[in-house]
Amino acid sequence: MAMANNKTQCSKCNKDKITFSCEGCSKRFCFAHLTEHQQILNEELNHIINDYDQFNQRINEQNLQNDSLIKQINQWETNSIETIQKKAQEYREIVMKSSQTCINDIEKKFNDLSEQIKEIHRENEFNEINLNYLTNELIEITQELNNSSKISIQQDSESFINEISIVSSKKPKFNKWKQNAITVAGGNGQAHKLNQFNCPEGIFIDKNKSVFIADFGNDRIVEWEYNAKKGKLIAGGNGYGDRIDQLNSPTDVIVDEQDHSIIIADYGNRRVIRWLNQKQQILIKNIRCSGLAMDKSGFLYVSDTEKDEVRRWKMGEYNNEGILVAGGNGKGNKLNQLNYPGIIFVDKDQSVYVSDRDNHRVMKWRKDAKEGTVVAGGNGQGSNLNQLSGPQGVVVDYLGEIYVADCNNQRVMRWREGKEKGETVVGGNGDENLFHQVSGARDLSFDDEGNLYVVDYNNHRIQKFEVIL
C-alpha cells in the first residue's frame, strides 16, 4: 500500500514539502520558510508600530505648539491689560489734578467775594449797584462751579494696543456648484399666470426655502413654496397703478421675519411699501427705490437710483429722510459717488455692498465711512475676469466672498476682497435658455444649505444651482 502524498509546493523554495497555509497572503510555506515569513511579518509590524509612535510624537508636538501659541496670547493679554491700567491711572491723575485746580480757583474767587460782602456789611454803606455787582459775581462763580465737572472722555480711533491676528496656512474650502441648474420657479414662458413670470427682478429666500419674487412686468410679488409647481400671489396683481393695493414695476422684495410682512421696492410708484395680510402701509415716499436690505438690528436700507445714494431707516421711523450710508455726492465714478445703485447687501458689521451698475463695479461702504472701496470690477465695462458689465445682484457669504450677478456677461462671479480679478462660478455660457445658461442675471441669493439661486431675467425663471458637497 503506497504512502499518501501530502506534500505541496512551498511558495518560497518551490520544493514539494509539507507546507502550511498563511491566512493573510493565502500562500503555502514549508516549516523553515514559514518561520522566515513570520519573521518578515514581525518586522513589518515593528515598522508600523514605529510609524505609529512617530505620529503620536507629532501629535504631542502639535499640542506643545498649541500650548506655546496660547501662552503667547496670554502674554499679549497681560501686556495689554498692564498698558490699559497704566494709561487709566495717568488719566485719573489728570482728571483729579484738573478738577482740583479748577475748584481751587473757584474757592479763591469765592473767598474774595466773601470778604467784599463782609466789608460792605461792616461799613453799612451800599446801594443797588453794589447788590447787583455781588449778585452777578455770585452767578458767575456758580456757573464756573457747574462747568468744572464738564470734563469729557474722547476716544481715539487709533488703538494704542498692538493688535494680534491668527494666521493659518490651512486654506478655507470655497464652495462649487453644479453647472446645470434646476428651475425652481417660472420657466413656462413670459406671461401672467401663476406658473409664469414677466421679467422677474429681485428675490428673497426664507428659512423654509420659499422664494419670494418681484415680478417686475406683472406688477406683483409672488411666493413659490419649496418644490411648488406654481406660485401664489401675495402682493399687487391688481393691475398697473398707484393705488395702495397696486404695484408699478416692483424691483425688489424682502421679508421681515419678525412679523412676516413683505417690504417692496415699488419702483414705478416711487415708494417703499409694506404688505401684511393684504393690508398696506407706505413706509417711504418719493424715492426711486431699486434695492432693499435689512440688517440684524432691523434697520432698513434702500438704494435710490435717482439720487445715486443708499439711505438707512430705523424701523418705525420712516417720517424722516433717513441716514446717508453710501453715495449722495452726485452721479459719478469717484469713491464717494455712485452711478445707478441697484441691489444692496448689508453684512454683520453694517458694511453696505452696492452694485454700482453704470460704473460696472461693486462698492463696499463701511459703517460711517465717507467714501467706499471697489471690491469687484471697476476696470471699465467688459468681460475679462477683472471686469463687470452692468452688475446687478450682490451677496456676501460667511467667508467674506463677494458674489455678483454680472448681468450683461450672463454669469455669476465670485470676488475675494482685495483681489484684482474674480472667477466665474456659474453661467458664462451664452444667453439662451439651457440649464447651464443664464440670460440677464438680475439678482441672486443663497439658501441655508449653500445652494445658489439666480434670477434669470430674460428667460423668466428662477434657477437653483446645487452646491457640491
Side-chain angles (χ1 to χ4, degrees):
M1 182 176 180
M3 183 179 294
N5 185 8
N6 61 347
K7 296 181 179 180
T8 55
Q9 190 179 62
C10 172
S11 62
K12 184 70 176 178
C13 62
N14 296 323
K15 295 180 180 179
D16 290 337
K17 294 183 177 182
I18 296 174
T19 59
F20 304 89
S21 176
C22 175
E23 294 293 335
C25 63
S26 300
K27 294 180 180 180
R28 300 190 70 85
F29 299 94
C30 64
F31 183 78
H33 288 117
L34 178 65
T35 304
E36 181 183 326
H37 181 64
Q38 186 64 42
Q39 182 62 33
I40 292 173
L41 293 179
N42 286 334
E43 290 176 359
E44 291 180 359
L45 176 61
N46 289 333
H47 282 305
I48 293 174
I49 293 173
N50 185 55
D51 290 342
Y52 171 83
D53 290 339
Q54 289 182 5
F55 186 79
N56 189 44
Q57 179 64 28
R58 288 184 61 189
I59 291 176
N60 293 332
E61 290 174 356
Q62 188 67 41
N63 288 331
L64 289 174
Q65 182 182 2
N66 290 340
D67 290 342
S68 175
L69 293 173
I70 295 298
K71 287 179 181 178
Q72 291 180 50
I73 295 172
N74 292 341
Q75 187 60 51
W76 169 81
E77 179 185 26
T78 300
N79 293 341
S80 298
I81 291 172
E82 289 177 355
T83 301
I84 293 172
Q85 289 175 335
K86 183 178 179 181
K87 282 287 183 182
Q89 185 58 33
E90 290 178 7
Y91 296 145
R92 290 189 194 98
E93 292 174 359
I94 291 171
V95 168
M96 294 299 294
K97 185 176 180 180
S98 176
S99 297
Q100 192 59 50
T101 300
C102 185
I103 291 172
N104 290 341
D105 291 341
I106 294 171
E107 285 184 341
K108 185 176 183 302
K109 290 181 180 180
F110 178 77
N111 291 335
D112 292 341
L113 182 61
S114 180
E115 289 298 325
Q116 294 179 51
I117 293 173
K118 290 178 181 178
E119 184 177 351
I120 290 174
H121 188 267
R122 185 171 54 251
E123 294 179 356
N124 200 25
E125 291 185 1
F126 58 89
N127 54 30
E128 287 82 359
I129 296 175
N130 303 115
L131 295 178
N132 288 335
Y133 167 78
L134 295 175
T135 300
N136 291 334
E137 286 293 305
L138 185 59
I139 291 173
E140 184 177 329
I141 294 174
T142 302
Q143 289 175 345
E144 286 188 35
L145 182 62
N146 292 336
N147 291 331
S148 67
S149 61
K150 292 185 178 179
I151 300 173
S152 61
I153 303 297
Q154 183 177 1
Q155 293 193 31
D156 194 342
S157 59
E158 295 184 4
S159 173
F160 61 86
I161 298 172
N162 294 324
E163 295 186 0
I164 61 172
S165 59
I166 307 300
V167 180
S168 174
S169 60
K170 185 177 180 180
K171 295 182 179 179
K173 179 183 177 182
F174 299 110
N175 284 343
K176 293 184 179 181
W177 293 267
K178 295 179 181 178
Q179 294 303 295
N180 284 340
I182 300 170
T183 300
V184 295
N188 299 300
Q190 179 181 7
H192 63 274
K193 293 181 181 179
L194 285 176
N195 68 342
Q196 297 173 310
F197 294 122
N198 183 2
C199 300
E201 285 270 1
I203 58 171
F204 181 92
I205 301 172
D206 70 9
K207 60 185 178 181
N208 298 318
K209 295 189 180 65
S210 289
V211 185
F212 297 79
I213 305 104
D215 192 2
F216 180 86
N218 284 325
D219 306 302
R220 66 188 183 185
I221 306 297
V222 181
E223 177 188 1
W224 283 62
E225 295 180 348
Y226 184 62
N227 285 337
K229 299 300 181 184
K230 65 178 181 179
K232 60 180 180 180
L233 183 68
I234 58 172
N238 298 307
Y240 157 90
D242 60 0
R243 294 199 318 260
I244 192 71
D245 66 338
Q246 293 178 310
L247 298 174
N248 181 356
S249 304
T251 55
D252 203 4
V253 57
I254 58 175
V255 178
D256 183 354
E257 301 204 40
Q258 295 293 325
D259 59 7
H260 305 290
S261 63
I262 311 300
I263 301 175
I264 305 163
D266 193 6
Y267 183 84
N269 284 325
R270 298 172 53 83
R271 65 190 182 188
V272 176
I273 188 169
R274 182 207 301 271
W275 284 59
L276 178 60
N277 299 326
Q278 295 302 311
K279 295 181 179 179
Q280 301 84 28
Q281 175 191 7
I282 297 175
L283 302 180
I284 306 168
K285 299 179 180 179
N286 300 319
I287 182 170
R288 188 66 79 179
C289 49
S290 179
L292 302 172
M294 186 175 289
D295 67 20
K296 61 182 181 181
S297 300
F299 287 94
L300 178 66
Y301 298 72
V302 186
S303 62
D304 188 336
T305 60
E306 191 170 66
K307 296 181 179 179
D308 297 294
E309 65 183 20
V310 179
R311 287 186 177 270
R312 180 184 73 200
W313 279 265
K314 187 177 181 180
M315 194 64 72
E317 297 182 4
Y318 300 112
N319 55 348
N320 56 39
E321 61 180 10
I323 297 173
L324 181 70
V325 295
N329 296 295
K331 186 185 300 294
N333 62 2
K334 296 178 181 178
L335 292 179
N336 67 344
Q337 293 178 310
L338 298 169
N339 187 354
Y340 205 98
I343 301 297
I344 50 182
F345 179 89
V346 183
D347 68 14
K348 58 182 176 59
D349 299 319
Q350 293 183 318
S351 292
V352 180
Y353 296 77
V354 188
S355 59
D356 193 8
R357 192 190 72 177
D358 290 351
N359 281 327
H360 311 291
R361 65 188 185 183
V362 175
M363 300 291 290
K364 177 181 179 180
W365 290 65
R366 297 185 185 277
K367 185 179 180 182
D368 300 327
K370 299 302 180 185
E371 63 180 33
T373 56
V374 180
V375 292
N379 297 298
Q381 182 178 12
S383 59
N384 294 327
L385 290 179
N386 68 338
Q387 294 178 306
L388 298 170
S389 180
Q392 296 277 357
V394 58
V395 66
V396 182
D397 69 11
Y398 71 99
L399 291 172
E401 304 291 292
I402 303 155
Y403 296 80
V404 185
D406 191 8
C407 181
N408 298 334
N409 285 324
Q410 328 300 341
R411 66 189 180 186
V412 175
M413 297 193 72
R414 172 166 57 199
W415 291 68
R416 294 166 191 170
E417 189 171 346
K419 298 295 182 181
E420 294 182 357
K421 62 182 181 180
E423 60 180 324
T424 301
V425 293
V426 298
N429 303 303
D431 62 350
E432 298 178 9
N433 62 356
L434 300 177
F435 288 113
H436 68 299
Q437 296 174 312
V438 290
S439 180
R442 275 300 198 274
D443 198 6
L444 48 86
S445 185
F446 292 107
D447 63 21
D448 56 7
E449 294 179 352
N451 300 309
L452 175 61
Y453 296 70
V454 182
V455 176
D456 194 358
Y457 179 87
N458 292 327
N459 288 322
H460 315 287
R461 65 188 182 181
I462 310 300
Q463 299 291 86
K464 180 173 81 169
F465 293 87
E466 293 182 306
V467 67
I468 300 174
L469 300 176

